[in-house]
C-alpha cells in the first residue's frame, strides 16, 4: 500500500538487527540483581543497589534480602518467573527469572490500592464478562479499550491490530478529551521491528514509566554480564530509537500489552501518558490475564464469522447443485445460473465462457477486454486463480480497474473452452496514516537510522484494489469447480450415450481396462517400494554394526514416508492434494510400529486438517521423520520417551512442532540427516526454530501453505 522504505536507499535491517534484548542496562525505577544460586551471592546488578544492600553489595549474600526460603526456591526451581513476594517492609515486589546458570531478580515499587493490585480477580472476572457480551469484533475491541483505560489510568489507550502486510491499525481507542486520538489510523510495519515483535510474544507486558529516564548500567563481577539477555525482565532498558519515537509523539510514559492468539501476535494494547506513570508487577499481571481472555474472544468472534460465511456458501452451493441436476440445454442453463454464480461469491460482475459464447451478469468489462483477460488466463496454466489487484498481474487491466480490479477465475476446460470469471470493482480506499509512512527515515542513507518525527494525520488514496477474496470463498470456488466439472462430465456422458449407443459396451470395457491398468501400475509401484524396504530390513538384520543398522532403519522410515504419500494419492479422489494432518497421523503410526513395542503410546499428536500439495507433503513427511529420528536418537539415546507432534494453521502458513522431554541439546549435529533437513525446509521456503522445552527441545517448522492452483 505504501512505498517501501527500502526504495529510499536505506538499510532497514539496521533496526531489525539491533540487540534490544541485551541493552546492558535497566530503567532506573527498578533494581536488578544477578544472583548465583549455588553460592547464594549477588554477582551483578543495576540500579540503586547500594541503597538497598549497602556499599559492599557486589559479592555479598542474597539471603538477607529474600531469606533462606527464597534462596531455597531459587536452588530448587528449573525456570521462572518466580514471584518471591515483597521485600523491605513490603515496598518492593521481587520477581526472579532464570537465565542460564544465574537468576535475575527484578525489584519494583508496589502500588497498593491501585486498580489491578488488591482486586486483580475482580478485574479479570469483569473483563471476561464484558468480552462475552460483545456482539462482534468491533464491539469487542471497543470494550477492551474501555477496560484497559480504566485499569491502567493512561491518557490514551489504543487497541492496535496487525494487518497481513505487518502494518498496524488502531481499531479501538479511549483517550482524554484534551489530547488527539489515532482511531482508524495506520502505522507502517517499520515502526515495530521484527525482534521487537518476538519480544512482545515472549514478554507480554512492557512499561516505560518515564521516557526521559537515564539508563542504569549493569555492574558485575564478570564483565560479560553486561551482555546478559534481559528478554524476560520488565525493567529492561529499551532502544534509544523507541525512546525518541515516544518523545516525538509527545509521550512521557507508555505501556504495551500483547494480544497473542494461537501463539501469534495479533495486536497490542498500546497505552500513552503525558506525564510519568508506572504499572506495578501485579497490575501488569492483571493486564496480561485480561489480554489473554480478550485474545480468546477474538478467536471465537473470528471463527464465528468464518463459520457463518461458510454456512452461507454451503447453502447457496446446495441450491445451485439442485438446479444443475435438472435437464436443461447447456446454453439455456448457462444463462440461468449466471446471476446465481455472481451472487454466490459477492461479485460485481460474472462471465461464463462456453466455446465462442459469453454469458454475463452484473457489471463486466467490454467483450474485447474479456478476450484479453481470457488469453492471459490461458497463459497462467492454473485451474483456479484469484487476485485482489489484477493490474499488478496484468498491467493492461489498469484501464478497466473500476470494473475489474478483483478477479477469480476457474478453467473447467481449455479445449472447448469453458471458463468462469468473477469480477470485483475497484474499492477506493483512503487510508489515514499516523504520519507520512514514506518518510519514516531521513533522506540521507549515510545518517543513523532515526524514528520519524511527525505523527500528524496523513491520507493516502489506494487505487486498483478490490475487496479481497476470503479463504471461505476460495474454498467454495474449489468445490464449485468440482461440482461444475462433474455436471459437465455427466452431461457429456449423456450426450455420448445418445450418440454412441452401439459403442457403450466398448466404452465400458475401455474404462474398466484403464482402471485395471492404473491399479496394476499402483500395485507394481507399491510392490517395488515394499521390496526396497524389505531389502533394507534384511540388510539391517544381517549386519553386526549397530551404527549401520541404525542408519538402515532410518532409511526405511524415510522411504516409508514416500510410500505412504503414494498410497494416499491413489486412495483419494485427487492425485495432487492430500490432507496433511491425516497423512502425518498415518506416517507416525507406521513409524511407531517400526520403532519397537516399547515406543507404544509415546508419540502424541494434535493435528489440524490441512490440504497441501503431494510434493510438499513428501518433503514435510521427510522433515517430520528426521525430527522424530533426532528426538529418538539424541533426546533419549534410543530409549523410549514422550514426543509431542502438533500441526496447526496460522494465517496462510502451517506450523509443525516436534517437542521432546529429553536431555536437551548435546553437541553439534552436522550429519546427513541435518543436511537433508535443511534442504527440505529450504525447498518449502520455510523456517525452523529451536527452543527450550524445559526440559528437552522443541523444533517448530513453519512454511507457506501451497496448493497447485494458488496464484
Amino acid at each position: 500500500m505504501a512505498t517501501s522504505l527500502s526504495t529510499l536507499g536505506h538499510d532497514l535491517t539496521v533496526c531489525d538487527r539491533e540487540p534490544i534484548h541485551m541493552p546492558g542496562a535497566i530503567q532506573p525505577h527498578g533494581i536488578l540483581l544477578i544472583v548465583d544460586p549455588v553460592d547464594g551471592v549477588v554477582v551483578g546488578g543495576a540500579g540503586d543497589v547500594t541503597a538497598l544492600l549497602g556499599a559492599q553489595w557486589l559479592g555479598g549474600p542474597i539471603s538477607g534480602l529474600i531469606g533462606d526460603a527464597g534462596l531455597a526456591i531459587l536452588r530448587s526451581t528449573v525456570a521462572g518467573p518466580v514471584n518471591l513476594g515483597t521485600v523491605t517492609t513490603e515496598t518492593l515486589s521481587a520477581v526472579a527469572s532464570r537465565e542460564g546458570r544465574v537468576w535475575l531478580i527484578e525489584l519494583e515499587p508496589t502500588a497498593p490500592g491501585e486498580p489491578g493490585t488488591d482486586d486483580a480477580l475482580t478485574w479479570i472476572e469483569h473483563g471476561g464478562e464484558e468480552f462475552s457480551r460483545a456482539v462482534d469484533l468491533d464491539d469487542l475491541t471497543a470494550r477492551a479499550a474501555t477496560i484497559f483505560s480504566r485499569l491502567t489510568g493512561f491518557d490514551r489507550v489504543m487497541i492496535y491490530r496487525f494487518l497481513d502486510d505487518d502494518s498496524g491499525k488502531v481499531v479501538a481507542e479511549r483517550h482524554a478529551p484534551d489530547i488527539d486520538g489515532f482511531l482508524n489510523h495506520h502505522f507502517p510495519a517499520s515502526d515495530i521491528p521484527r525482534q521487537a515483535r518476538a519480544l512482545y510474544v515472549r514478554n507480554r507486558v512492557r512499561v516505560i514509566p518515564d521516557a526521559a529516564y537515564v539508563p542504569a548500567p549493569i555492574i558485575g563481577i564478570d564483565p560479560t554480564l553486561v551482555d546478559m539477555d534481559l528478554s524476560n525482565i520488565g525493567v529492561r532498558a529499551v532502544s534509544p530509537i523507541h525512546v525518541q519515537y515516544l518523545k516525538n509523539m509527545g509521550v512521557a510514559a507508555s505501556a504495551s500489552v500483547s494480544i497473542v492468539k494461537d501463539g501469534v501476535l495479533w495486536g497490542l494494547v498500546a497505552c500513552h501518558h503525558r506525564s510519568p506513570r508506572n504499572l506495578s508487577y501485579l497490575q501488569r499481571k492483571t493486564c496480561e490475564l485480561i489480554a489473554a481472555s480478550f485474545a480468546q474472544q477474538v478467536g471465537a468472534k473470528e471463527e464465528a464469522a468464518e463459520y457463518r460465511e461458510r454456512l452461507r456458501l454451503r447453502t447457496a452451493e446446495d441450491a445451485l447443485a439442485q438446479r444443475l441436476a435438472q435437464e436443461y440445454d447447456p446454453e439455456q442453463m448457462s444463462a440461468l445460473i449466471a446471476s446465481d454464480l455472481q451472487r454466490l461469491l459477492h461479485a460485481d460482475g460474472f462471465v461464463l465462457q462456453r466455446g465462442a459464447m459469453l454469458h454475463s451478469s452484473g457489471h463486466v468489462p467490454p467483450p474485447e477486454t474479456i478476450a484479453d483477460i481470457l488469453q492471459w488466463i490461458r497463459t497462467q496454466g492454473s485451474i483456479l486463480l484469484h487476485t485482489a489487484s489484477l493490474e499488478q498481474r496484468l498491467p493492461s487491466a489498469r484501464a478497466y480497474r473500476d470494473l475489474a480490479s478483483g478477479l477469480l477465475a476457474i478453467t473447467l476446460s481449455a479445449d472447448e473452452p469453458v471458463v468462469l470469471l468473477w469480477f470485483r470493482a475497484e474499492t477506493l480506499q483512503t487510508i489515514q496514516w499516523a504520519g507520512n509512512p514514506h518518510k519514516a527515515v531521513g533522506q540521507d542513507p549515510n545518517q543513523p537510522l532515526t524514528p520519524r518525527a511527525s505523527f500528524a494525520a496523513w491520507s493516502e488514496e489506494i487505487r486498483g484494489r478490490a475487496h479481497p477474496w476470503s479463504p471461505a470463498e476460495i474454498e467454495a470456488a474449489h468445490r464449485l469447480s468440482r461440482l461444475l466439472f462433474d455436471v459437465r462430465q455427466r452431461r457429456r456422458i449423456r450426450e455420448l450415450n445418445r450418440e454412441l449407443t452401439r459403442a457403450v459396451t466398448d466404452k465400458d470395457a475401455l474404462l474398466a481396462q484403464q482402471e485395471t491398468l492404473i491399479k496394476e501400475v499402483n500395485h507394481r509401484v507399491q510392490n517395488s517400494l515394499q521390496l526396497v524396504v524389505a531389502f533394507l530390513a534384511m540388510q539391517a538384520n544381517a549386519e553386526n554394526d549397530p551404527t549401520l543398522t541404525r542408519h538402515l532403519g532410518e532409511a526405511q522410515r524415510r522411504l516409508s514416508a514416500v510410500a505412504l504419500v503414494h498410497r494416499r494419492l491413489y486412495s483419494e479422489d485427487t492425485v495432487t492434494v492430500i490432507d496433511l494432518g491425516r497423512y502425518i497421523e498415518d506416517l507416525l503410526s507406521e513409524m511407531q510400529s517400526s520403532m519397537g513395542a516399547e515406543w507404544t503410546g509415546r508419540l502424541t499428536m494434535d493435528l489440524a486438517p490441512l490440504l497441501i500439495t503431494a510434493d510438499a507433503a513428501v518433503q514435510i513427511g521427510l522433515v517430520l521423520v528426521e525430527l522424530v529420528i533426532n528426538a529418538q536418537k539424541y533426546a533419549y539415546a534410543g530409549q523410549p520417551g514422550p514426543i509431542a507432534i502438533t500441526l496447526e494453521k496460522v494465517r496462510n502458513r502451517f506450523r509443525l512442532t516436534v517437542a521432546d522431554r529429553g536431555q536437551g541439546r548435546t553437541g553439534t549435529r552436522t550429519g546427513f540427516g541435518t543436511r537433508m533437513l535443511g534442504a527440505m525446509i529450504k525447498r518449502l521456503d520455510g523456517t525452523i526454530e529451536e527452543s527450550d522445552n524445559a526440559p528437552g527441545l522443541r523444533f517448530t517448522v513453519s512454511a507457506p501453505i501451497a496448493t497447485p492452483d494458488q496464484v
Side-chain angles (χ1 to χ4, degrees), residues 131-180:
F131 298 153
S132 65
R133 296 190 187 102
V135 296
D136 56 22
L137 195 57
D138 290 340
D139 186 24
L140 178 64
T141 55
R143 291 173 184 262
T146 300
I147 289 174
F148 281 104
S149 176
R150 292 165 49 202
L151 175 59
T152 64
F154 276 70
D155 289 335
R156 178 168 52 223
V157 173
M158 301 171 287
I159 306 299
Y160 178 93
R161 179 178 184 178
F162 291 108
L163 306 179
D164 289 339
D165 62 355
D166 286 337
S167 66
K169 178 182 178 182
V170 177
V171 295
E173 182 181 43
R174 286 293 298 270
H175 62 82
D178 55 341
I179 65 172
D180 295 331

Side-chain angles (χ1 to χ4, degrees), residues 179 222 270 285 289 314 391 443 454 463 589 591 676:
I179 65 172
D222 185 347
K285 294 305 292 184
L289 293 173
R314 285 286 192 177
E391 65 182 66
Q443 295 299 314
S454 175
R463 299 294 306 272
S589 297
M591 283 193 67
M676 186 187 73

Side-chain angles (χ1 to χ4, degrees), residues 188-415:
S190 58
D191 277 8
I192 304 179
R194 284 178 296 180
Q195 80 274 35
R197 295 170 192 253
L199 281 179
Y200 278 130
V201 175
R202 184 172 176 180
N203 195 343
R204 302 292 174 89
V205 185
R206 294 283 293 128
V207 181
I208 304 176
D210 187 351
Y213 76 91
V214 176
I218 293 177
I219 300 172
I221 296 176
D222 185 347
T224 62
L225 292 177
V226 174
D227 298 325
M228 177 73 64
D229 186 344
L230 302 183
S231 297
N232 296 322
I233 301 303
V235 296
R236 169 177 54 84
V238 298
S239 165
I241 295 176
H242 183 61
V243 171
Q244 187 60 48
Y245 182 95
L246 294 176
K247 292 179 179 178
N248 291 350
M249 293 187 76
V251 174
S254 74
S256 60
V257 185
S258 303
I259 304 169
V260 179
K261 183 174 77 71
D262 299 328
V264 177
L265 188 64
W266 181 91
L268 298 171
V269 180
C271 308
H272 294 161
H273 208 66
R274 290 167 293 182
S275 58
R277 184 172 181 82
N278 194 12
L279 293 177
S280 67
Y281 173 76
L282 287 179
Q283 286 178 294
R284 297 201 304 271
K285 294 305 292 184
T286 303
C287 289
E288 180 178 341
L289 293 173
I290 294 177
S293 175
F294 172 73
Q296 290 180 339
Q297 286 294 331
V298 167
K301 293 292 186 294
E302 291 180 340
E303 290 173 4
E306 185 176 0
Y307 173 77
R308 288 192 295 270
E309 176 65 5
R310 293 180 188 275
L311 184 62
R312 181 193 70 81
L313 289 168
R314 285 286 192 177
T315 303
E317 292 169 32
D318 291 343
L320 184 61
Q322 291 181 359
R323 295 193 64 183
L324 292 173
Q326 303 176 28
E327 284 285 352
Y328 283 103
D329 175 82
E331 295 299 330
Q332 182 184 9
M333 174 59 73
S334 299
L336 287 173
I337 66 172
S339 60
D340 290 339
L341 290 173
Q342 175 194 341
R343 289 192 298 270
L344 177 69
L345 297 185
H346 288 154
D348 297 299
F350 172 79
V351 171
L352 189 155
Q353 179 199 25
R354 187 175 184 275
M357 301 296 296
L358 294 178
H359 301 276
S360 64
S361 174
H363 302 287
V364 300
E368 62 274 12
T369 299
I370 292 177
D372 293 339
I373 296 174
L374 290 169
Q375 175 60 33
W376 173 75
I377 290 173
R378 283 192 290 272
T379 65
Q380 302 304 300
S382 297
I383 296 175
L384 186 149
L385 63 84
H386 59 88
T387 176
S389 183
L390 182 58
E391 65 182 66
Q392 292 186 5
R393 305 284 309 278
L394 181 63
S396 60
R398 182 183 180 89
Y400 46 86
R401 63 187 182 185
D402 58 326
L403 294 173
S405 284
L407 171 68
L408 190 152
I410 296 175
T411 301
L412 296 181
S413 171
D415 298 329

